[in-house]
Amino acid sequence: MNIRDIVNRDLVNLANCESEPIHIPGSIQPHGFLLGLNAETYSIEYCSQNTVDHIGIAPDAVLGKKLSDLFDQSQSDRFDEYADVEIDVARPFVFTKNDIPYNTTVHQSGETLILEFEPFPDGSIGLPDLYAQTRNFVSLMEKHSHLQDLCKDIATEMRKITGYDRVMIYKFDAEYNGEVIAESKREDLNSFAGQKYPHTDIPAQARQLYIRNQLRLIADVNYTPVPLLTREKENVSNSSVDLSLSVLRSVSPIHLEYLRNMGVGATLTISLLQKDRLWGLIACHHYTPKILPHYTRLSALLQGHFLTSQIAVREVAEEFEVGQIVEKALSDALSLLHQNDNFIEDYFREPSLLKVANATGFVIYYKGKLYQNGSVPEPEYLLPLLKTLSEKYPSEGLHTERILDVYEEGEKVAKYAAGFIYHSITAGTPDGILWLRKERRETITWAGNPHKAVVVNEDGVTRLSPRKSFELWMEEVKNKSTDWRKAEIHAAASFAYALQKHINLRYVKSQEQSNRVLNEELKAANKELANLNWISTHDLKEPLRKIQIFASKILDREKTDISAQVKDSVERMRFAAEKMQLLIEDILTYSKTGNMDKVYESVDLNMILTNVQDELSEIIEEKNAVIHTEVLPTLKVIPFQVHQLFVNLVSNALKFSVQDTNPVVNIQLKQVTASQIPDSKGPAQQPFYAISVQDNGIGFESEYATRIFDVFQRLHPGNKYPGTGIGLAICKKIMENHAGYVDAKSEPGDGATFTVYFPLEQSS
């Protein structure tokens, strides 16, 4: 029988180091031995060369045999049952040979069942006290509120459990550079706390293995690898066995050389994962060879799981602390914004604007003027930055901690703006808002020069060599600020969005004031219809046209650069503008017809009310409103006008709701006579349908019950209840067109009831 090894002897060099096949080394560490069984037949197809050292049987007498040929039949039978239903790394099977017990961990690799045998290091099982370990961890968890403090005590606890000379907890950054954030060590050892290690120390394929196999043991860095052997077969390569999940898997020669250069004799590494990503490592170092018993390893792994369970919780808690601060600042800033029309000009120096993002500088650029707060660059440097950002990011937000990543001239402003959060105010203009952070020059302490050394061996082949020096190596980082936290980024975006709405509302208000003046000038001709005609033709149609054009430009030109959320918002904006423009056109058409014959249709008012509720579904859902309605009649009406009538009445009931109270709207029907209608001019006994819309909102003073239907009459000026003041005037005009009436009854705090009266002879 021809036997050969499957050792991977590919040379690791500069060209292939990042893809070194460390999962298929073809060899193992010598403190145990390995058998590879065919998963179907349980025939031994692979074995390590050191079987004779452990069980006294040479590889040629092992390969091709069954387990019952190596161990007694009772052990083989019990293993068959174990492999069928009980394979569990936490509970290894125990084989005994020559009175020596072996913990045997089992896993499947492709078509091969891998059995790894390790003799008990001290001859006993040594089960850990899991209750005491869990109790200690809970005590530490309650003791500390910050993650780093918890890590320090976990490192100490891990060292007690394992007995290693040094235990370190690494945390990786976005580029997988590692930093020692906690350490427990022998008193005579130098501390590694705070030192950083470059991402090249743990290549990408090694990180993947740390994710798949969360515990890794090297018992002696100076071990001699033991080859895996197999029988040669015709037309079958048997080139490799994937040992990714193996306990005994041999280690990359580069990594072993790295550890020897550090003076380390043995290691234990436990992975810390978050969302399937390697967050960090618990790295245990011993300065002489050390074999850790299986159950002690599991105890250490449990400690790693404990810590992993707390990482997200503690990071969220720390983020929450920051979030509370910025939310308070955001609330203060928004309160000022909503209460002051001239916020930009009068309140741009408010401290809360800096605290919204914990920034050192704040800038608004609006209509060619800079409004500056805190530490900011000179205008000659700031204006080019704003111009560049408005061109590159016209419709999206941006944040960075490294200004040179997005702005080539960044060194000129890095002192005050090494990091920033930017939002455009008006697309297509340089108008924008910036939160700035000063440069934080930082000296990073690397554990040795972070660049891999390149050496040429005796054959003249260039290869990678791990660092031989771990003396501290300092690197100064410039043009960088502290990182922006999620809460700060979100708060800045919220304020920027509110500022955009504020500016738009200021524009609308200025237009509204202009319209008031125009209304006075045109009152003699036709106080209401002429004014609506003028607004529709000039003041309102043009802004709506611009909104549609700008929205279309954003969707057509920038659609690949904007998020789905922004795209959806712009689509809604365009749809709303189109709908409003259609309504204005309808009103304009109606006003122009004057005394022309009206086109009435027989319409079920229940259908109209259903359509109205569909149209207002978002605000109904947002306010958790409840609308109760009785069955309404079928009338001959002008459909679009009656639809608008109910839209105005129901939306007002929802708009003027009491804070923290769910709106309840009751729509009721009854039959009355003209004598029961205020200001009725018809015969006293003429029958009418009275449809009332009653709400539980804020109400209003009864003295406004008549004035509220005049054009541009608003009882609540300001931003809390936005509107133009023509909605109820339109309702009154619609009822006049239907030979009907409308009135209102209310008291402050008791809600309001609006009643519309349709003459009965219009019923179908």
Side-chain angles (χ1 to χ4, degrees):
M1 174 174 63
N2 293 325
I3 297 176
R4 65 178 182 83
D5 68 59
I6 59 171
V7 176
N8 192 319
R9 295 181 174 83
D10 290 344
L11 177 67
V12 181
N13 54 44
L14 282 174
N16 67 11
C17 68
E18 293 297 331
S19 57
E20 179 186 0
I22 57 178
H23 61 300
I24 51 170
S27 60
I28 64 169
Q29 300 178 56
H31 61 277
F33 70 97
L34 181 148
L35 299 180
L37 280 58
N38 183 294
E40 296 292 332
T41 66
Y42 276 25
S43 173
I44 301 172
E45 295 187 345
Y46 299 92
C47 75
S48 57
Q49 195 176 56
N50 62 348
T51 53
V52 66
D53 299 329
H54 285 279
I55 58 175
I57 304 176
D60 58 356
V62 172
L63 293 171
K65 298 298 193 323
K66 303 283 188 178
L67 284 177
S68 58
D69 297 323
L70 276 62
F71 304 94
D72 60 62
Q73 188 64 48
S74 64
Q75 293 188 75
S76 176
D77 292 342
R78 283 192 293 108
F79 177 78
D80 288 345
E81 296 177 4
Y82 172 85
D84 284 341
V85 296
E86 292 187 39
I87 289 181
D88 184 355
V89 175
R91 299 177 60 194
F93 189 84
V94 177
F95 279 103
T96 302
K97 187 72 174 179
N98 302 326
D99 296 325
I100 299 175
Y102 292 86
N103 272 327
T104 308
T105 53
V106 183
H107 72 275
Q108 188 156 343
S109 175
E111 299 177 354
T112 303
L113 198 64
I114 303 294
L115 281 64
E116 299 180 88
F117 299 77
E118 294 181 84
F120 291 25
D122 55 3
S124 65
I125 292 180
L127 292 173
D129 186 347
L130 297 182
Y131 171 76
Q133 186 180 349
T134 303
R135 182 186 60 197
N136 289 343
F137 179 80
V138 171
S139 176
L140 295 177
M141 187 174 64
E142 294 174 345
K143 176 182 175 184
H144 299 298
S145 58
H146 289 88
L147 181 60
Q148 188 153 351
D149 295 332
L150 178 63
C151 286
K152 289 177 182 177
D153 279 354
I154 290 292
T156 301
E157 189 72 12
M158 181 71 83
R159 189 161 166 255
K160 289 179 184 177
I161 292 170
T162 62
Y164 280 86
D165 293 331
R166 185 196 305 271
V167 175
M168 297 171 288
I169 297 181
Y170 287 85
K171 179 182 178 182
F172 293 117
D173 63 16
E175 288 78 35
Y176 286 104
N177 299 306
E179 180 180 3
V180 180
I181 63 171
E183 177 187 55
S184 177
K185 65 179 182 62
R186 276 182 3 213
E187 290 185 2
D188 60 306
L189 297 175
N190 292 328
S191 175
F192 291 164
Q195 294 184 16
K196 290 199 173 185
Y197 294 77
H199 67 91
T200 50
D201 282 2
I202 306 178
Q205 76 276 25
R207 295 195 293 269
Q208 286 301 313
L209 279 185
Y210 279 128
I211 292 174
R212 294 189 63 192
N213 192 348
Q214 296 175 36
L215 184 144
R216 189 78 177 98
L217 175 75
I218 303 175
D220 183 357
V221 300
N222 293 307
Y223 75 88
T224 300
V226 179
L228 296 184
L229 306 177
T230 188
R231 294 182 299 173
E232 288 189 346
K233 298 178 183 177
E234 290 185 9
N235 302 321
V236 178
S237 64
N238 287 322
S239 58
S240 64
V241 175
D242 188 339
L243 298 180
S244 296
L245 303 179
S246 170
V247 175
L248 297 172
R249 173 171 50 84
S250 194
V251 185
S252 163
I254 288 182
H255 184 56
L256 291 174
E257 186 176 348
Y258 177 93
L259 294 173
R260 287 193 289 268
N261 290 346
M262 290 185 74
V264 175
T267 67
L268 174 72
T269 308
I270 295 172
S271 307
L272 301 174
L273 307 180
Q274 285 293 298
K275 297 180 180 178
D276 298 323
R277 185 181 186 273
L278 195 60
W279 181 92
L281 297 172
I282 300 177
C284 306
H285 286 182
H286 209 65
Y287 290 88
T288 57
K290 181 178 179 64
I291 299 177
L292 201 65
H294 177 83
Y295 285 102
T296 308
R297 283 182 231 162
L298 292 184
S299 186
L301 182 60
L302 179 61
Q303 201 74 6
H305 290 331
F306 281 153
L307 180 55
T308 296
S309 71
Q310 288 299 301
I311 289 172
V313 174
R314 299 310 169 105
E315 288 183 338
V316 167
E318 291 171 13
E319 188 75 29
F320 178 72
E321 288 184 14
V322 175
Q324 285 185 307
I325 296 172
V326 299
E327 280 296 326
K328 173 64 167 60
L330 177 61
S331 177
D332 293 344
L334 291 178
S335 179
L336 285 172
L337 180 67
H338 294 152
Q339 294 172 13
N340 297 278
D341 289 344
N342 295 326
F343 172 85
I344 295 176
E345 296 81 1
D346 297 341
Y347 292 95
F348 66 92
R349 290 193 179 91
E350 279 295 311
S352 60
L353 295 175
L354 293 173
K355 294 177 183 177
V356 162
N358 290 318
T360 54
F362 174 78
V363 175
I364 298 175
Y365 185 69
Y366 180 60
K367 290 189 175 181
K369 187 173 180 179
L370 278 171
Y371 300 90
Q372 304 172 67
N373 186 347
S375 299
V376 299
E378 293 297 324
E380 59 264 32
Y381 299 118
L382 193 55
L383 290 174
L385 170 63
L386 285 161
K387 183 176 184 296
T388 299
L389 293 175
S390 67
E391 292 171 352
K392 289 185 176 180
Y393 308 96
S395 58
E396 60 183 297
L398 168 72
H399 72 273
T400 182
E401 293 84 23
R402 296 181 179 89
I403 189 170
L404 292 179
D405 291 349
V406 296
Y407 184 56
E408 294 179 356
E409 304 296 320
E411 287 195 23
K412 295 179 180 178
V413 297
K415 179 180 178 182
Y416 300 107
F420 61 80
I421 300 174
Y422 169 77
H423 288 275
S424 173
I425 292 178
T426 308
T429 74
D431 293 354
I433 184 170
L434 274 174
W435 284 268
L436 309 174
R437 271 192 182 161
K438 290 182 177 180
E439 177 185 48
R440 190 190 72 170
R441 294 206 175 193
E442 180 182 13
T443 300
I444 296 178
T445 303
W446 295 98
N449 191 319
H451 305 291
K452 287 186 177 181
V454 178
V455 298
V456 179
N457 65 17
E458 296 176 355
D459 300 325
V461 177
T462 301
R463 72 176 185 87
L464 288 169
S465 174
R467 300 195 306 278
K468 292 181 170 57
S469 172
F470 288 86
E471 294 182 1
L472 299 186
W473 192 84
M474 306 297 194
E475 180 181 20
E476 186 179 31
V477 177
K478 300 186 296 183
N479 302 318
K480 184 179 182 297
S481 73
T482 55
D483 292 346
W484 299 101
R485 288 183 174 266
K486 291 180 181 178
E488 295 162 346
I489 295 168
H490 293 160
S494 296
F495 182 81
Y497 177 66
L499 183 63
Q500 291 170 349
K501 291 176 64 177
H502 172 81
I503 290 172
N504 292 337
L505 190 58
R506 282 212 318 188
Y507 173 76
V508 172
K509 282 187 174 183
S510 67
Q511 292 296 103
E512 183 178 296
Q513 182 59 32
S514 298
N515 293 339
R516 287 180 185 275
V517 174
L518 290 171
N519 182 51
E520 292 296 325
E521 295 175 352
L522 299 174
K523 187 163 46 175
N526 190 329
K527 185 174 72 172
E528 296 174 347
L529 290 178
N531 184 54
L532 289 172
N533 186 7
W534 204 97
I535 295 170
S536 302
T537 308
H538 301 283
D539 289 80
L540 291 181
K541 289 177 63 178
E542 181 59 20
L544 284 174
R545 188 181 67 82
K546 289 181 178 178
I547 290 172
Q548 291 175 274
I549 292 173
F550 290 149
S552 297
K553 287 182 178 179
I554 290 172
L555 293 171
D556 294 338
R557 299 181 183 178
E558 310 295 339
K559 61 184 177 182
T560 60
D561 295 326
I562 61 177
S563 66
Q565 183 178 359
V566 174
K567 182 179 178 181
D568 181 67
S569 297
V570 175
E571 285 279 12
R572 290 173 181 269
M573 178 182 69
R574 183 169 64 175
F575 175 79
E578 291 173 350
K579 188 169 184 179
M580 186 175 177
Q581 189 172 33
L582 179 61
L583 176 60
I584 290 171
E585 293 291 345
D586 288 339
I587 294 173
L588 178 62
T589 300
Y590 175 73
S591 68
K592 287 181 178 179
T593 58
N595 294 323
M596 294 176 62
D597 292 337
K598 313 298 189 294
V599 179
Y600 295 88
E601 298 179 19
S602 184
V603 177
D604 184 350
L605 297 189
N606 298 289
M607 293 296 296
I608 289 183
L609 194 56
T610 298
N611 294 335
V612 168
Q613 292 185 66
D614 289 340
E615 183 174 329
L616 300 176
S617 60
E618 284 192 5
I619 189 170
I620 291 173
E621 183 177 351
E622 177 187 339
K623 294 202 171 191
N624 199 22
V626 177
I627 298 179
H628 301 293
T629 179
E630 296 182 356
V631 178
L632 301 182
T634 297
L635 299 179
K636 283 190 175 181
V637 295
I638 305 171
F640 84 89
Q641 289 190 8
V642 174
H643 176 92
Q644 185 61 39
L645 172 73
F646 282 114
V647 165
N648 288 357
L649 294 176
V650 175
S651 61
N652 274 359
L654 298 173
K655 181 195 300 183
F656 298 103
S657 59
V658 177
Q659 188 173 1
D660 300 326
T661 299
N662 296 337
V664 176
V665 182
N666 292 306
I667 301 175
Q668 299 174 322
L669 173 71
K670 66 179 180 179
Q671 190 170 325
V672 299
T673 61
S675 62
Q676 297 171 277
I677 301 174
D679 300 323
S680 171
K681 299 179 177 60
Q685 298 306 312
Q686 182 183 358
F688 283 82
Y689 280 125
I691 302 174
S692 60
V693 179
Q694 181 184 42
D695 63 61
N696 61 339
I698 61 174
F700 55 86
E701 300 285 350
S702 59
E703 63 186 271
Y704 297 110
T706 302
R707 290 172 53 192
I708 200 171
F709 295 102
D710 293 339
V711 176
F712 297 121
Q713 289 299 315
R714 299 182 61 196
L715 303 186
H716 304 281
N719 299 318
K720 187 173 182 180
Y721 302 104
T724 60
I726 64 172
L728 291 177
I730 292 176
C731 291
K732 181 179 180 182
K733 179 56 64 177
I734 290 173
M735 292 311 300
E736 290 175 354
N737 291 340
H738 289 80
Y741 305 92
V742 59
D743 69 16
K745 291 182 176 60
S746 179
E747 290 294 337
D750 288 338
T753 301
F754 289 84
T755 306
V756 291
Y757 302 91
F758 289 92
L760 220 65
E761 57 264 25
Q762 289 183 294
S763 61
S764 175

